[in-house]
Amino acid sequence: FIFSNPGAYTCMSIEFSLVTVASMINLRKGIPLDRFAGVIFTRHDSNITTVEDLRRARVEAVSISGLGAMQLQQAELLSLGLNVMTDVQRLTFSYSQNKIVQDVQNGYADVGFVRTDMIERSEAQNKTKWEYFRVINEISDNDFPFKRSTDFTPEWPIGALKHVPWEIMELVGQALMQLDYASADPALSEPATTGKFATWVPPMNYYGLLGMLERIGYYSPEERRCLRSSDVYQAVKCPAG
């Protein structure tokens, strides 16, 4: 079985013929959430205020394979005419969203990419405060409890490799979907509370991510393969000419 971020999972589902068993409903601030997005943020006192300003910014993301802390932002910016792989002053990968928050706060980076709720989690751990930051390209959304700069993606899935018997897949799916943070049965509520999720539901649709991954150059439909985190140099596409 494979439990992974939806972008990497979508790639693996194509490459290795995964069968999606269930999708997680996350739990943030006591609110069950079936989706998340990306945030593009800077310090509150920064002179980086628009997407166009990113051309002179030091940008920090998690990795080329990070969905909520790179790929969603990359796709959003590309749709607005900016290629973060080639058009910004500097792009670095920290492999830690906590580090991204701290580096922007401390001035080591001008702009950071993290998933929705990441800054709130750092704030809950007394590591930072939202008042230190400002969101770039903020999308107004009264139906979602966190600030965001990008479109949504469904929450994390779990899938089975093709050699796993259907009976086992069904049993695993049923067992996961019985878990519920609000259950009166501790055997069903405690795993959810410990895992910080609300419950699991039947599989959501992840194939919409393939088009996005192809647009940013991460997925090759000809090879039916995605780049890996170690393929960072292959991810850099020089402009024509």
Side-chain angles (χ1 to χ4, degrees):
F1 289 88
I2 292 177
F3 175 57
S4 176
N5 89 57
Y9 179 86
T10 300
C11 291
M12 288 187 283
S13 70
I14 297 295
E15 290 186 44
F16 306 118
S17 302
L18 300 184
V19 177
T20 309
V21 173
S23 293
M24 184 177 69
I25 300 297
N26 219 326
L27 189 66
R28 293 290 185 262
K29 288 188 173 180
I31 304 170
L33 297 171
D34 63 355
R35 62 197 187 281
F36 66 95
V39 181
I40 304 170
F41 71 102
T42 187
R43 278 172 53 126
H44 70 96
D45 57 355
S46 169
N47 61 4
I48 307 292
T49 60
T50 68
V51 167
E52 192 63 23
D53 290 339
L54 266 68
R55 295 183 186 276
R56 54 184 173 82
R58 299 167 299 161
V59 178
E60 190 167 323
V62 71
S63 72
I64 61 169
S65 60
L67 179 61
M70 173 59 181
Q71 293 172 342
L72 291 176
Q73 291 89 340
Q74 185 178 3
E76 181 71 23
L77 293 173
L78 199 58
S79 73
L80 298 173
L82 186 141
N83 185 341
V84 73
M85 297 298 292
T86 58
D87 295 345
V88 302
Q89 182 185 107
R90 187 188 77 193
L91 174 63
T92 57
F93 298 118
S94 68
Y95 301 95
S96 166
Q97 293 192 54
N98 281 309
K99 186 176 186 300
I100 294 170
V101 174
Q102 293 301 309
D103 283 353
V104 173
Q105 177 177 319
N106 295 325
Y108 300 131
D110 300 314
V111 172
F113 294 171
V114 293
R115 66 164 278 165
T116 46
D117 80 42
M118 184 64 226
I119 294 178
E120 285 82 359
R121 279 188 277 167
S122 292
E123 191 172 30
Q125 297 167 358
N126 296 316
K127 293 180 178 179
T128 193
K129 294 182 179 179
W130 245 119
E131 64 192 59
Y132 299 157
F133 306 112
R134 177 169 24 88
V135 176
I136 297 173
N137 195 53
E138 182 171 1
I139 298 172
S140 179
D141 188 344
N142 294 327
D143 297 323
F144 191 73
F146 301 105
K147 298 176 186 293
R148 66 183 178 97
S149 305
T150 75
D151 285 340
F152 289 112
T153 177
E155 269 292 354
W156 286 41
I158 187 170
L161 292 165
K162 58 185 178 182
H163 68 269
V164 178
W166 284 100
E167 299 89 336
I168 301 300
M169 295 184 202
E170 186 175 5
L171 287 172
V172 170
Q174 289 174 349
L176 286 172
M177 286 181 242
Q178 287 178 345
L179 302 177
D180 191 327
Y181 81 110
S183 174
D185 183 349
L188 300 178
S189 62
E190 288 179 4
T193 302
T194 302
K196 298 180 181 179
F197 62 85
T199 187
W200 291 77
V201 296
M204 290 185 261
N205 185 354
Y206 297 93
Y207 285 103
L209 287 170
L210 264 187
M212 182 272 286
L213 295 172
E214 183 178 353
R215 286 195 302 276
I216 65 174
Y218 189 74
Y219 170 69
S220 168
E222 292 81 14
E223 298 179 6
R224 292 177 61 84
R225 180 187 182 276
C226 289
L227 297 175
R228 272 51 171 176
S229 293
S230 58
D231 295 334
V232 62
Y233 292 108
Q234 289 91 315
V236 179
K237 307 294 184 184
C238 295

